[in-house]
């Protein structure tokens, strides 16, 4: 692969399978076969330094598994994750600010931990000063370091998680649904904080969310996932101006729009199939209004000659998407 | 007048604690008409679920209705005994909760649960009730009803389970459905299916729906009118188009501004400084005044109330100026 000086993360053909077979005895007695769940099924993307790439998709599409593969919490079953930065300077922010902070530790100690791990010889006074500074950076007060996590609200806890992540002097942050557990007004505070920090510290984000409006606000590039694969990847502006994949279009059509209240629309039919037994060919074909024979047998790839590797869809290759989806959009 | 299904007047819900009495719902009045969906929106702790629970008669002790009244189609229901209230719940008010798994008994087939509920509220025979259960399942959009009726809840997906719960709520053809975060646990594409279903049922059957959710998008899309709650009080009530497009209460305006838009680009989202007060520390006057950019002395002194059908509980909005 040719070297891209500006890429901080290159993910290539990434796969992760989980064995979800019944226990051995059941398999023998009930003659059940082994079953594998393909949580991530051949995913490629590149993140440029200082940018935000967002993974969006519905539950079970594999976006959180990718976060865990990138941070090394899971080992890949296939493919590769190449990180061109300092491994020690990769940090993660989790969704649940109640589960991700040690309830027995004071906030100051929680924030100091990555610092002490990264530079064990730092004198206590320097650590304390740095913790105070970090608390101020995320909009808390230095005296909050003496408190325990339970004394804070959800939004404040997420700020603590961010301060802890920043303590590791990160260049790359993996954020797995960082605001999903928060109320909208608090979400706005946290998102603004994350954007400000990115600018000030030149951070790179891998941002995982199910919320397209949040992703639109945060990301430079958006990858839409469906059943363990990226079906479309585009710069944010292009994705919203000209969504290519039928799934993306349906998804955009489904999200409630505040600017168009009381809209009557036809919701997308069907449900996300189980990743244990995904449909043949393109896994979206049973729900796709444009599916034709080829989609049922063959699996579409993102190819250079089709919209410059932005979309994995046969209908887009034949051009049916352009005309066919216009009709569905007007319904 | 007969059009009004739910009439809540000056409702007050209190929780006596060791440290004093907390007011979770403070002087709320609202009505829902036949076939109307009222959205109750607010952030965690605003009292929206508590209002729904009070209407259902499901307040957890020591929580209690301390003042006000609740009328269902003209009959007062807030002072009924538990036994009488049980008759009202299910038969006249249906309930849909966030997590469909906790609303269904995992040990019984969904068909049996539907049949049991139908027979509890009607005089149908077992066979008739089963037919009715199938009709209901078809109505809420469950495919292959003949096979699915004998499945257990775990054999359904989240969206399908929520459909079953809606079918359960519809069993006795209630006048009112209280739906508390019915789509929060679901993915967007499934969420859209469920809200479309609620809207259709409400339109076809004339059921009044109280839709409690934190999601302004769901409200905008589903509700006819919306009530915004803040710190146990109503901040603003009005037609959904008006509240969403032209919010009159500064809190509503801030809430709308803090939601990332799907259309326009902003570098920074609007923020409401601070956080909602805890129930034991609600400021005097307007509960929002410490976070409000326009607050004046009157706001710190007197509590503004929502008056009429289209209004904001704000001195600035009602009097045009803050004295």
């Amino acid at each position: 692969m040719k070297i891209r000086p500006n890429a901080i993360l290159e993910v290539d053909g990434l796969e992760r399978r989980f064995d979800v077979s019944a226990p051995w005895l059941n398999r023998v007695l009930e003659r059940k076969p082994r079953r594998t769940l393909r949580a991530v099924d051949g995913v490629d993307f590149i993140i440029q330094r200082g940018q935000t790439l967002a993974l969006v998709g519905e539950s079970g599409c594999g976006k959180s598994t990718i976060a865990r593969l990138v941070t090394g919490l899971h080992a890949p079953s296939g493919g590769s994750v190449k990180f061109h930065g300092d491994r020690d300077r990769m940090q993660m922010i989790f969704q649940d600010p109640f589960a991700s902070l040690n309830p027995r530790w004071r906030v100051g100690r929680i924030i100091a931990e990555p610092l002490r791990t990264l530079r064990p010889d730092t004198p206590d006074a320097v650590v304390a000063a740095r913790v105070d500074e970090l608390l101020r950076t995320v909009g808390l007060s230095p005296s909050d370091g003496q408190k325990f996590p339970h004394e804070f609200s959800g939004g404040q806890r997420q700020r603590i998680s961010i301060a802890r992540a920043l303590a590791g002097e990160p260049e790359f942050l993996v954020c797995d649904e960082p605001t999903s557990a928060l109320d909208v007004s608090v979400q706005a505070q946290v998102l603004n904080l994350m954007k400000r920090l990115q600018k000030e510290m030149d951070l790179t984000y891998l941002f995982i969310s199910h919320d397209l409006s949040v992703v639109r606000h945060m990301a430079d590039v958006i990858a839409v996932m469906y059943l363990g694969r990226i079906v479309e990847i585009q710069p944010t502006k292009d994705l919203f101006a000209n969504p290519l994949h039928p799934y993306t279009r349906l998804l955009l059509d489904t999200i409630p729009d505040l600017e168009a209240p009381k809209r009557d629309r036809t919701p997308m039919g069907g449900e996300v199939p189980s990743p244990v037994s995904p449909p043949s060919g393109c896994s979206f074909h049973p729900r796709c209004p444009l599916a034709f024979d080829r989609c049922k047998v063959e699996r579409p790839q993102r190819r250079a000659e089709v919209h410059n590797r932005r979309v994995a869809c046969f209908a887009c290759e034949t051009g049916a998407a352009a005309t066919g989806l216009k009709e569905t959009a007007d319904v | 007048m007969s059009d009004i299904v739910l009439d809540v007047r000056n409702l007050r819900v209190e929780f006596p604690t060791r440290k004093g009495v907390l007011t979770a719902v403070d002087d709320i009045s609202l009505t829902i008409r036949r076939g109307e969906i009222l959205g109750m929106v607010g952030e965690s702790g605003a009292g929206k679920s508590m209002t729904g629970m009070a209407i259902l008669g499901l307040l957890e002790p020591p929580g209690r209705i301390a003042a006000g009244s609740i009328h269902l189609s003209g009959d007062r229901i807030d002072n009924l005994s538990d036994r009488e209230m049980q008759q009202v719940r299910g038969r006249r008010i249906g309930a849909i909760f966030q997590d469909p798994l906790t609303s269904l008994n995992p040990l019984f087939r969904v068909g049996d649960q539907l049949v049991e509920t139908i027979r509890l509220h009607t005089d149908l025979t077992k066979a008739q009730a089963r037919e009715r259960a199938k009709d209901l399942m078809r109505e809420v959009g469950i495919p292959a009803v003949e096979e699915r009726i004998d499945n257990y809840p775990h054999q359904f997906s989240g969206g399908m389970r929520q459909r079953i719960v809606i079918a359960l709520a519809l069993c006795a053809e209630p006048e009112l459905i209280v739906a508390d975060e019915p789509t929060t646990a679901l993915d967007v594409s499934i969420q859209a299916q469920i809200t479309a279903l609620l809207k259709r049922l409400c339109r076809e059957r004339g059921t009044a729906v109280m839709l409690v959710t934190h999601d302004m998008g769901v409200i905008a899309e589903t509700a006819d009118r919306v009530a915004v709650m803040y710190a146990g009080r109503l901040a603003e009530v009005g037609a959904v188009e008006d509240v969403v497009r032209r919010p009159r209460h500064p809190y509503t305006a801030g809430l709308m501004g803090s939601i990332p838009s799907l259309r326009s680009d902003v570098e920074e989202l609007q923020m409401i400084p601070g956080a909602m007060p805890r129930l034991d520390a609600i400021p005097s006057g307007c509960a929002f005044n410490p976070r409000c950019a326009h607050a004046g002395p009157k706001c710190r002194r007197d509590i503004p109330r929502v008056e009429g059908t289209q209004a904001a509980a704000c001195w600035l909005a009602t009097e045009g100026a803050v004295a």
Side-chain angles (χ1 to χ4, degrees):
Chain A
M1 183 172 270
K2 73 176 181 230
I3 301 157
R4 294 179 185 82
N6 223 3
I8 191 164
L9 187 84
E10 287 181 64
V11 170
D12 206 15
L14 188 64
E15 283 178 33
R16 172 69 206 200
R17 295 179 289 273
F18 292 101
D19 189 346
V20 290
S21 313
W24 175 80
L25 197 62
N26 295 58
R27 289 209 309 274
V28 172
L29 294 176
E30 296 160 19
R31 302 182 183 214
K32 282 188 179 163
R34 271 200 173 276
R35 302 201 325 152
T36 3
L37 184 153
R38 294 170 165 271
V40 178
D41 195 8
V43 161
D44 316 275
F45 61 85
I46 292 165
I47 307 183
Q48 307 292 338
R49 213 172 271 276
Q51 292 217 313
T52 300
L53 178 119
L55 297 173
V56 275
E58 301 182 272
S59 24
C61 71
K63 51 195 194 302
S64 288
T65 309
I66 292 183
R68 298 182 152 259
L69 289 165
V70 166
T71 44
L73 293 171
H74 284 319
S77 318
S80 67
V81 176
K82 286 196 202 92
F83 184 58
H84 306 296
D86 185 350
R87 266 265 160 204
D88 290 337
R89 294 177 60 196
M90 183 193 280
Q91 289 284 341
M92 188 156 175
I93 299 170
F94 297 90
Q95 172 174 2
D96 186 351
F98 293 82
S100 57
L101 301 174
N102 187 338
R104 292 167 196 277
W105 283 17
R106 288 180 198 279
V107 165
R109 186 174 168 199
I110 292 173
I111 296 173
E113 196 192 14
L115 209 87
R116 292 190 189 278
T117 318
L118 193 69
R119 302 184 206 286
D121 326 319
T122 322
D124 287 353
V126 177
V127 172
R130 178 87 180 115
V131 168
D132 287 359
E133 187 194 325
L134 284 165
L135 280 166
R136 252 184 250 120
T137 308
V138 298
L140 296 170
S141 99
S143 63
D144 287 333
Q146 296 306 311
K147 296 184 187 163
F148 287 99
H150 75 261
E151 297 175 66
F152 295 91
S153 67
Q156 288 172 318
R157 284 181 208 218
Q158 210 55 310
R159 287 169 191 266
I160 296 168
S161 298
I162 294 172
R164 174 178 61 184
L166 294 178
E169 297 168 30
E171 47 186 359
F172 183 69
L173 273 168
V174 177
C175 318
D176 189 1
E177 303 262 15
T179 60
S180 308
L182 308 176
D183 278 318
V184 279
S185 73
V186 182
Q187 165 173 286
Q189 296 171 357
V190 172
L191 292 180
N192 282 345
L193 172 68
M194 290 182 67
K195 266 199 138 172
R196 198 192 83 214
L197 293 172
Q198 175 167 43
K199 220 180 279 168
E200 286 172 10
M201 305 183 181
D202 196 24
L203 299 171
T204 309
Y205 290 144
L206 173 59
F207 192 94
I208 290 159
S209 177
H210 67 281
D211 187 331
L212 270 165
S213 60
V214 167
V215 156
R216 181 176 184 274
H217 182 67
M218 295 297 289
D220 300 296
V221 180
I222 296 177
V224 181
M225 292 194 65
Y226 191 77
L227 275 190
R229 298 174 198 169
I230 292 179
V231 295
E232 172 163 2
I233 183 165
Q234 290 213 71
T236 305
K237 269 211 166 66
D238 299 352
L239 187 108
F240 278 87
N242 185 24
L244 297 168
H245 198 281
Y247 176 61
T248 314
R249 294 186 179 203
L250 288 172
L251 210 54
L252 283 172
D253 209 39
T254 325
I255 22 175
D257 190 346
L258 270 180
E259 279 114 301
K262 292 184 82 175
R263 182 167 57 131
D264 257 320
R265 44 171 195 183
T266 12
M268 172 176 2
E271 303 186 347
V272 182
S274 158
V276 178
S277 48
S280 62
C282 169
S283 46
F284 186 61
H285 85 253
R287 301 173 81 185
C288 182
L290 302 177
F292 54 103
D293 295 345
R294 191 180 173 196
C295 308
K296 292 176 191 150
V297 285
E298 208 180 321
R299 175 176 160 178
Q301 302 288 346
R302 276 162 42 215
R303 300 191 307 159
E305 57 274 27
V306 184
H307 296 287
N308 194 19
R309 279 180 53 82
R310 284 182 172 188
V311 64
C313 173
F314 291 129
C316 295
E317 290 187 18
T318 59
T323 48
L325 270 167
K326 278 241 171 64
E327 282 160 31
T328 51
D330 290 339
V331 170
Chain B
M1 249 335 255
S2 60
D3 211 21
I4 291 175
V5 174
L6 181 75
D7 188 1
V8 176
R9 274 185 224 155
N10 305 100
L11 180 71
R12 187 181 175 90
V13 174
E14 289 181 349
F15 281 76
T17 66
R18 267 176 300 170
K19 288 179 185 166
V21 176
L22 301 181
T23 308
V25 176
D26 188 1
D27 198 13
I28 282 200
S29 301
L30 44 88
T31 55
I32 311 180
R33 291 172 180 279
R34 238 181 84 79
E36 183 179 60
I37 302 182
L38 174 79
M40 296 282 290
V41 73
E43 301 185 273
S44 345
K48 54 192 192 308
S49 287
M50 210 59 83
T51 309
M53 287 306 199
I55 292 162
L56 286 166
L58 289 175
L59 286 174
E60 298 259 354
R64 54 158 202 247
I65 295 177
S69 65
I70 302 169
H71 286 84
L72 183 66
S73 306
D75 306 324
R76 187 158 182 185
I77 57 165
D78 58 292
N79 53 3
L80 297 181
S81 68
D82 286 354
R83 222 211 172 92
E84 291 167 317
M85 197 58 207
Q86 245 174 34
Q87 291 292 315
V88 173
R89 257 195 321 267
R91 185 166 303 180
R92 299 186 59 190
I93 310 179
I96 302 167
F97 296 110
Q98 175 171 350
D99 182 0
L101 259 191
T102 54
S103 314
L104 296 168
N105 188 329
L107 299 177
F108 290 94
R109 300 170 196 278
V110 295
D112 294 343
Q113 299 188 45
L114 282 163
V115 167
E116 186 199 336
T117 315
I118 293 167
R119 295 199 66 200
L120 193 69
H121 297 299
T122 60
D123 310 323
L124 298 181
T125 65
K126 217 167 178 174
Q128 288 170 323
R130 198 176 154 85
E131 282 312 307
R132 178 139 170 70
K134 285 183 196 162
D135 290 341
L136 279 170
M137 285 174 74
R138 275 185 212 108
E139 189 170 350
V140 297
I142 290 170
V145 167
E146 294 292 337
E147 301 156 38
R148 297 298 258 168
I149 190 164
D150 289 320
N151 283 5
Y152 289 93
H154 75 265
Q155 292 170 296
F156 290 86
S157 65
M160 284 296 156
R161 261 182 230 138
Q162 198 61 296
R163 288 173 194 263
I164 301 275
V165 173
I166 294 174
L168 268 174
L170 292 175
C171 277
E173 307 205 346
E175 297 142 60
L176 172 72
I177 289 181
V178 176
D180 190 352
E181 304 274 5
T183 60
T184 307
L186 308 172
D187 277 318
V188 274
S189 66
I190 312 299
Q191 174 178 304
Q193 296 172 5
I194 297 294
T195 51
L197 172 65
L198 271 178
K199 261 163 105 168
R200 198 191 83 216
L201 293 172
C202 174
R203 205 174 289 158
E204 287 173 2
R205 293 166 161 255
T207 317
V209 176
M210 175 181 235
L211 177 67
V212 178
T213 176
H214 70 284
D215 190 331
M216 206 65 197
V218 170
I219 295 269
E221 188 132 319
T222 319
D224 302 302
R225 282 193 307 130
V226 55
V228 184
M229 286 192 73
Y230 183 80
R233 298 176 193 158
L234 279 183
E236 183 163 358
V237 183
V240 73
E241 307 90 302
D242 296 332
V243 174
V244 167
R245 293 221 176 96
R246 292 175 296 277
R248 296 177 67 196
H249 196 288
Y251 172 66
T252 322
L255 204 60
M256 304 306 303
S258 65
I259 302 170
S261 164
L262 283 165
R263 306 226 175 130
S264 52
D265 286 303
V266 280
E267 190 45 39
E268 212 169 275
L269 297 170
Q270 204 178 321
M271 288 196 288
I272 310 174
M276 194 160 63
R278 293 160 57 112
L279 288 180
D280 57 358
I282 292 179
S284 64
C286 170
F288 187 63
N289 85 67
R291 303 173 75 187
C292 182
H294 317 287
K298 189 174 173 67
C299 305
R300 289 186 271 275
R301 203 172 52 229
D302 303 320
I303 301 179
R305 296 289 181 193
V306 171
E307 312 228 351
T309 47
Q310 167 78 54
C314 176
W315 294 124
L316 196 70
T318 48
E319 301 186 358
V322 184

